[in-house]
Amino acid sequence: MSIVKINVLAVPAEQREVLEQRFASRAGAVEGSDGFEWFELLRPLEGTDQYLVYTRWRSEEDFQNWMNGSMKAAHQGTAGGEGGERPKPAASGSTLWSFEVVQQASPK
């Protein structure tokens, strides 16, 4: 079955809009990747500053290929601002969680 990667991003309140705009502007960056199945950016509603970036992949190998290829190139190509400097990260920290899908259900 598939694997799920959840990137947990600590985002200060004043950076939330910046983070969401950056994800909105990346639309299509992962969707064409081999083995990609799903993406969601989850905004916290209460009690935490942590956003969850949910991606689902056919295999660990597909995820690693994306990490070492398209994702790396996309992050290196985000230069902006004066002198071509990369913008300051919106998140103050991140943690990557990995899961294997062992059961799933969908609406009937």
Side-chain angles (χ1 to χ4, degrees):
M1 286 198 133
S2 302
I3 62 148
V4 169
K5 299 293 183 170
I6 300 173
N7 194 1
V8 183
L9 303 175
V11 182
E14 66 276 6
Q15 291 294 314
R16 285 181 163 200
E17 187 174 334
V18 171
L19 178 85
E20 291 179 23
Q21 287 176 350
R22 288 183 185 167
F23 271 92
S25 69
R26 56 124 306 273
V30 69
E31 287 87 334
S33 298
D34 191 40
F36 170 78
E37 296 178 351
W38 197 259
F39 162 84
E40 290 179 324
L41 175 62
L42 306 176
R43 176 193 304 138
L45 294 177
E46 58 189 33
T48 185
D49 66 351
Q50 295 182 326
Y51 275 70
L52 302 181
V53 182
Y54 174 101
T55 58
R56 183 171 167 152
W57 299 87
R58 178 178 55 209
S59 69
E60 178 68 26
E61 181 181 9
D62 290 321
F63 172 75
Q64 291 301 326
N65 288 340
W66 174 73
M67 284 288 291
N68 295 322
S70 301
M71 194 280 288
K72 185 180 273 188
H75 280 227
Q76 290 172 347
T78 56
E82 295 181 24
E85 295 177 14
R86 292 182 64 189
K88 179 182 173 190
S92 61
S94 71
T95 302
L96 183 65
W97 296 342
S98 299
F99 298 89
E100 181 178 20
V101 177
V102 294
Q103 294 184 26
Q104 61 187 22
S106 60
K108 292 183 180 184

